[in-house]
Amino acid sequence: MQINKLLLRNIGAYHGPHHFDFNTTPEKNIILIGGKNGAGKTTILESLRIVLFGSLAYGFVNDNEPYFRKIHSLLNRFAIESNNNEFQIKLEYTATEEFETVHYVLMREWRFKNEKIRESFSVLKNGQYLKANQQSDFQNRLREEMPPRLFELCLFDGEDISRIVSDEKIPEYLNESGKILFNLDLFMNLEKDLHSYRMQYAQKNADAAKEIAEQEKLIKQINELQTSIEAKQALIQLSEREAVQLNDEIKQHKQDFDNHGGLLRDKRQKLLGEINAIESKRKANSEQIRSFITSLLPFYITRDLLGKVVKQLNLEKENESFEYVALALDKQKLTDLIHQLQHKINQTDVTYNIDFLHQGILNMMQPENIDLIHRASFAQRSEIQNLFNQIQKIDAKQYIQMFEQNAQMLSESQGLRKTIEINDQSSEFKEILEQIEVKTKRIEQLRLLVEQYNKDIQEADDHIRLYTISSNKITDKIREYHKAENSFAMTEKLLVVSQRFRERQWRKKLDDVANEATKMVNILFRKKEYIDRIHIDHLTFELHLYNRQQQHITKERLSAGEKEMLMLTVIWAMFKVSGWKLPFVFDTLMGRLDQDHKRALIQYFIPKCGEQVLMFTTDSEVGVEQFTWLKDVTAKCYTLELNPITHSAEIVKGRYFTISEESNQS
């Protein structure tokens, strides 16, 4: 699709008819439209959406009152006040249908009738008006071949790009864009319908519904595990290739070292081994000392006070026993007991002072000289007693010896390191030794990574095996439920095929997008060959960047401008891979970019975006210098100016703000 002409009559700030010629050539594919804020750039973009899609441009299914309120706010208010009843958007464009070029003219017109807005829509195809049924078919086909969501993807708003980047919404944007550009939303809708069909079947049998839900959960888990395994296997291959390369380099370093005096190597390795053993022992001592200081030292210092606390708690425990007995020793029960004793020994005439006896028993049991302080619980007393027992067993000399031993070992370690340093400095091959050491450490890191990856893969395989067994059992049950239902089996097969095809398409398309984006990034970035490879995860849509050593580059290391350019290149690559040929529209795209990035975009990116590019800019965004870069690929330029008296937009053709095409060319 290529836009040729646009007419706005009493739309927005455009009072009366205003024409735009958007014809371009392959050599000059850019239409440059400059204007300050409020000059009418947004009105042009909104008019393109409305003339193509009508109420769908605002998300409405049909022409309802909310849609006409939107239209009313778009109509020129001076035309309304002067009772000018002509409001029109007219679009001329060309498209390719069945390998032939077709010319279309779309016209949407609005008039007021009984104070209500009425809309009319007409379509000319190669100069012939379409009939009502043909016009309806055209609109349906247009919405299928170029849905409003797809057209929205061609409109690049600089503020939206910056917000997506700053809010880290690139994965969500790529996910939604990819579904549309690669037509994968068709398969998702198909799968959604198939799922609904399955659930309708399942509703006939509650058990079948549960089984289906459980199987879908298992299949999702299996797919996630398989994706994880593939990612880990790719990382293993990268790590192993890097390890092989490092081993070859180390082998060459050792050969050079051996050829020029490698006798120092064994001695150095022995010294390093001794240092590692000393440091390991020092670390163990330090951990033991640190543990003692942070936990038991305060109690050890106050161990006498802690002993008094333990003694006090024991006395209070005895007092608790006394209080319990005092409470339980009832005088009446004591009197009954004495009478029973008297009866047994036939001395019923003997009298006792019960109060005296009761008090005497309590006096025998009551602890002496105790003041209640803590009233601790059993658990608290046990904790204090255990702590006190632990403190009693501490031998402070042991930790003092550790301090002294650490000081001695530190001195030994420093001496050995000094020996190695002197040995290395005196050697002509210090650089070789350092390279060998660095690469050896990296190889060990890679070995540990590969071990962990293999362990993760084995665990994932085990889970997949278990989930697959469970899924197969459920499949058998479901087939029992629907033995006579061939359509259910067909639905299952179709669903699996669709899911597999969609996943493969995602992988293939995103790999192609990553390759194209990598090429463009290395053209645009000032840091040439800084990014060697881009990988897009087909599940999370996260961007992963790698340098020439296949080391991961965090996106935080990129500047804000580089992040925006990275997103633009990925979106451009998605359009290129998808094969869609639509005009690109840039609205204040470069407002936040520096001069170098602007130049790179203008010279290498924007001209390659498509057969037609509409650039809406401000004078602060594209100045004289940027216009000089653009002039050779610009077919036409316009400047939008707002008349301060009439408050109406005016179009100046052949001039960009104060720069004219002729003067610039001269």
Side-chain angles (χ1 to χ4, degrees):
M1 174 184 183
Q2 184 166 8
I3 300 173
N4 298 327
K5 294 181 181 180
L6 178 68
L7 165 67
L8 302 180
R9 187 188 301 275
N10 296 325
I11 302 296
Y14 298 93
H15 187 205
H18 290 75
H19 300 268
F20 292 92
D21 184 355
F22 289 155
N23 281 289
T24 58
T25 64
E27 296 77 19
K28 295 187 175 185
N29 64 329
I30 295 176
I31 301 295
L32 183 62
I33 303 174
K36 296 184 179 181
N37 293 333
K41 298 190 298 295
T42 304
T43 301
I44 298 175
L45 297 177
E46 192 167 1
S47 298
L48 288 173
R49 285 192 288 259
I50 293 172
V51 72
L52 284 169
F53 306 111
S55 59
L56 281 180
Y58 295 113
F60 302 121
V61 178
N62 49 38
D63 300 347
N64 51 24
E65 284 302 319
Y67 167 64
F68 286 121
R69 284 198 294 269
K70 292 275 189 181
I71 295 298
H72 189 280
S73 66
L74 185 66
L75 303 182
N76 184 268
R77 62 186 182 88
F78 293 105
I80 296 176
E81 292 172 357
S82 61
N83 294 322
N84 188 332
N85 208 18
E86 292 185 39
F87 306 91
Q88 182 187 52
I89 303 175
K90 179 180 178 182
L91 175 68
E92 297 183 26
Y93 73 91
T94 56
T96 302
E97 295 180 0
E98 297 180 354
F99 306 103
E100 293 184 359
T101 301
V102 181
H103 298 272
Y104 282 103
V105 179
L106 309 185
M107 289 176 288
R108 286 193 189 271
E109 298 177 310
W110 297 272
R111 295 180 181 274
F112 285 92
K113 186 176 182 180
N114 299 327
E115 297 184 354
K116 289 188 176 182
I117 298 177
R118 295 291 182 264
E119 178 180 291
S120 62
F121 178 63
S122 59
V123 180
L124 277 83
K125 179 178 180 181
N126 292 332
Q128 299 293 324
Y129 280 99
L130 298 183
K131 297 178 181 179
N133 60 332
Q134 294 174 326
Q135 184 173 299
S136 177
D137 293 340
F138 165 79
Q139 288 181 291
N140 292 332
R141 187 174 65 254
L142 177 65
R143 292 166 185 175
E144 291 176 359
E145 295 178 353
M146 189 178 63
R149 292 171 60 195
L150 176 60
F151 187 76
E152 290 292 334
L153 292 179
C154 304
L155 308 181
F156 294 88
D157 189 320
E159 293 184 1
D160 290 341
I161 296 293
S162 298
R163 183 168 57 254
I164 291 170
V165 171
S166 61
D167 294 345
E168 297 184 351
K169 298 293 186 181
I170 295 179
E172 291 88 338
Y173 185 88
L174 296 183
N175 183 11
E176 292 302 319
S177 302
K179 293 176 186 176
I180 301 169
L181 288 173
F182 304 141
N183 291 323
L184 295 178
D185 53 342
L186 300 178
F187 291 93
M188 297 183 71
N189 292 332
L190 171 63
E191 291 166 19
K192 184 178 179 181
D193 293 339
L194 292 174
H195 279 295
S196 299
Y197 181 69
R198 293 180 71 196
M199 293 307 298
Q200 289 174 4
Y201 259 130
Q203 287 174 358
K204 298 178 181 178
N205 192 312
D207 292 336
K210 293 178 181 178
E211 298 291 354
I212 291 173
E214 180 63 25
Q215 187 181 51
E216 290 177 347
K217 180 179 178 182
L218 290 171
I219 292 173
K220 181 180 179 182
Q221 291 173 327
I222 290 172
N223 291 336
E224 291 174 352
L225 289 170
Q226 288 174 338
T227 301
S228 174
I229 288 174
E230 291 173 2
K232 293 290 172 59
Q233 288 172 340
L235 290 172
I236 288 174
Q237 291 178 355
L238 290 175
S239 300
E240 289 177 344
R241 283 200 296 266
E242 184 179 353
V244 169
Q245 181 180 351
L246 290 173
N247 273 319
D248 292 341
E249 293 174 1
I250 290 173
K251 191 178 297 182
Q252 184 61 46
H253 290 324
K254 289 182 177 179
Q255 184 177 350
D256 294 341
F257 189 77
D258 290 338
N259 293 337
H260 301 86
L263 296 176
L264 299 174
R265 179 182 57 197
D266 295 338
K267 178 181 177 182
R268 191 175 188 279
Q269 292 298 326
K270 181 179 179 182
L271 292 175
L272 286 174
E274 293 178 8
I275 290 173
N276 291 335
I278 290 172
E279 291 300 325
S280 178
K281 179 63 177 175
R282 284 186 63 237
K283 183 179 179 181
N285 286 351
S286 298
E287 289 295 332
Q288 195 170 350
I289 292 170
R290 187 182 298 109
S291 176
F292 169 69
I293 291 174
T294 56
S295 59
L296 298 178
L297 180 59
F299 299 105
Y300 181 79
I301 295 172
T302 59
R303 58 187 178 279
D304 293 337
L305 179 60
L306 183 62
K308 293 179 181 179
V309 171
V310 171
K311 184 177 180 181
Q312 174 68 23
L313 291 176
N314 289 334
L315 290 174
E316 291 188 7
K317 179 182 178 183
E318 294 178 5
N319 187 73
E320 286 181 5
S321 301
F322 164 73
E323 290 178 346
Y324 175 77
V325 172
L327 185 64
L329 190 60
D330 183 78
K331 289 183 181 180
Q332 182 59 45
K333 293 181 179 178
L334 184 60
T335 302
D336 295 340
L337 180 61
I338 292 174
H339 287 164
Q340 291 175 9
L341 291 173
Q342 289 176 339
H343 180 72
K344 286 185 177 181
I345 60 176
N346 296 320
Q347 292 185 356
T348 56
D349 57 338
V350 180
T351 60
Y352 294 93
N353 188 333
I354 298 302
D355 291 335
F356 180 78
L357 179 61
H358 182 268
Q359 187 60 43
I361 293 173
L362 294 180
N363 290 340
M364 289 171 59
M365 300 182 63
Q366 185 173 16
E368 298 180 357
N369 301 323
I370 180 171
D371 293 327
L372 298 178
I373 300 175
H374 304 289
R375 294 191 180 276
S377 65
F378 175 77
Q380 292 170 334
R381 285 199 302 271
S382 298
E383 187 175 356
I384 296 297
Q385 184 63 51
N386 290 336
L387 178 61
F388 181 68
N389 294 340
Q390 193 174 355
I391 294 298
Q392 291 293 98
K393 296 177 182 179
I394 290 176
D395 182 6
K397 294 180 180 179
Q398 174 187 357
Y399 295 99
I400 295 173
Q401 289 174 355
M402 286 184 186
F403 272 110
E404 294 173 351
Q405 187 181 22
N406 270 15
Q408 182 182 355
M409 287 191 294
L410 178 60
S411 178
E412 292 178 10
S413 175
Q414 290 173 341
L416 293 173
R417 291 183 188 277
K418 187 66 176 177
T419 302
I420 292 176
E421 183 179 352
I422 294 172
N423 181 74
D424 291 346
Q425 290 176 350
S426 63
S427 172
E428 297 178 0
F429 315 105
K430 178 181 178 181
E431 183 178 351
I432 295 177
L433 292 172
E434 289 177 348
Q435 291 181 3
I436 290 175
E437 185 174 349
V438 169
K439 292 176 180 178
T440 302
K441 288 182 179 178
R442 177 57 182 165
I443 288 174
E444 179 62 19
Q445 292 174 352
L446 292 172
R447 185 187 65 80
L448 294 175
L449 282 174
V450 170
E451 287 183 359
Q452 184 60 46
Y453 293 151
N454 282 321
K455 182 180 178 182
D456 294 342
I457 289 174
Q458 184 59 46
E459 291 179 356
D461 280 331
D462 293 340
H463 283 99
I464 287 175
R465 188 162 45 254
L466 294 175
Y467 293 157
T468 302
I469 292 172
S470 300
S471 178
N472 290 338
K473 290 181 179 178
I474 293 175
T475 299
D476 293 338
K477 291 181 181 179
I478 294 174
R479 286 174 178 168
E480 289 295 325
Y481 292 132
H482 305 282
K483 278 184 177 179
E485 305 292 343
N486 293 330
S487 59
F488 182 81
M490 184 68 71
T491 300
E492 279 189 310
K493 293 179 181 178
L494 187 57
L495 185 59
V496 170
V497 170
S498 176
Q499 290 172 340
R500 289 179 179 174
F501 176 80
R502 179 167 52 85
E503 290 175 3
R504 290 175 182 173
Q505 284 294 100
W506 265 128
R507 291 176 188 272
K508 181 181 181 303
K509 295 294 185 183
L510 291 181
D511 287 345
D512 293 342
V513 168
N515 291 334
E516 293 292 340
T518 302
K519 298 175 187 176
M520 181 59 74
V521 161
N522 283 314
I523 295 174
L524 298 179
F525 274 26
R526 285 191 293 261
K527 308 169 187 174
K528 299 303 179 186
E529 298 184 356
Y530 176 60
I531 297 175
D532 183 69
R533 184 170 68 90
I534 297 175
H535 173 69
I536 306 175
D537 191 302
H538 78 284
L539 291 178
T540 64
F541 299 91
E542 289 283 349
L543 290 177
H544 300 285
L545 313 178
Y546 299 91
N547 60 20
R548 297 191 67 178
Q549 289 74 36
Q550 298 305 313
Q551 295 171 331
H552 186 259
I553 303 172
T554 60
K555 290 189 283 295
E556 288 72 16
R557 293 174 60 182
L558 302 179
S559 66
E562 288 173 335
K563 290 179 182 178
E564 290 189 22
M565 293 178 70
L566 174 63
M567 179 177 175
L568 284 174
T569 56
V570 173
I571 298 172
W572 165 82
M574 292 180 76
F575 269 92
K576 183 176 181 181
V577 171
S578 71
W580 286 101
K581 294 184 178 180
L582 297 172
F584 275 64
V585 181
F586 296 124
D587 185 9
T588 58
L589 179 67
M590 300 182 292
R592 294 171 176 79
L593 300 180
D594 59 27
Q595 293 299 322
D596 290 340
H597 286 153
K598 286 182 181 180
R599 184 173 191 135
L601 281 179
I602 291 173
Q603 291 184 338
Y604 304 113
F605 178 76
I606 293 176
K608 295 182 179 180
C609 282
E611 296 178 355
Q612 186 179 46
V613 178
L614 307 183
M615 286 189 65
F616 294 82
T617 65
T618 62
D619 54 349
S620 62
E621 180 187 7
V622 173
V624 176
E625 183 177 7
Q626 290 76 31
F627 185 83
T628 303
W629 302 335
L630 278 169
K631 66 177 183 178
D632 292 335
V633 290
T634 299
K636 296 176 180 63
C637 66
Y638 299 94
T639 299
L640 307 179
E641 295 180 349
L642 188 65
N643 189 317
I645 299 176
T646 62
H647 297 284
S648 176
E650 297 179 355
I651 303 172
V652 182
K653 301 179 181 180
R655 179 164 64 83
Y656 179 75
F657 289 99
T658 59
I659 311 168
S660 66
E661 292 179 331
E662 292 78 8
S663 62
N664 189 267
Q665 290 172 357
S666 62

